[in-house]
Amino acid sequence: MSCAKFPAILRVGEAFIVANLDELAHLLCRAAALAQALPDQTSIDFESQCKDELDKFSTNLIKDTEIERMVRQRGGQQIFRQAMLEYWGNACAFTGIALPEVLRASHAKPWLECLSDAERLEVFNAFC
């Protein structure tokens, strides 16, 4: 089915009201098109956070009584979790339970198998 233009779809608060299956199909088609066309905000936020951290690192001078240690850890976890909560409406994708404090952002494709940072932070590669 093409995303042909249909009559206006009524929006009431956060809900959309459709009169028939054709309008529902149009709404879903439009949502899919927007999801592919819009920039990946999670990846943009992660890059910004990395830049901020690098800026802090370059301005911190080490004093004689301090040591520097290198730690390897995954970056962007909080950004990824927040994106998952927003994408899934602060609820579990499977059960619908809406208790953000117990929800976990889980990758569909394992972190180590992702080819890029953008893929690791992709909301379509995860479930809340």
Side-chain angles (χ1 to χ4, degrees), residues 70-114:
M70 184 181 291
V71 176
R72 185 178 201 155
Q73 65 186 49
R74 291 180 178 178
Q77 287 178 310
Q78 188 59 32
I79 292 171
F80 179 70
R81 183 177 188 281
Q82 187 58 41
M84 288 295 90
L85 288 171
E86 288 174 16
Y87 184 77
W88 292 104
N90 291 316
C92 174
F94 299 103
T95 65
I97 292 173
L99 294 170
E101 54 276 1
V102 299
L103 295 178
R104 190 174 180 172
S106 300
H107 289 82
K109 180 178 182 181
W111 176 276
L112 292 174
E113 293 178 19
C114 294

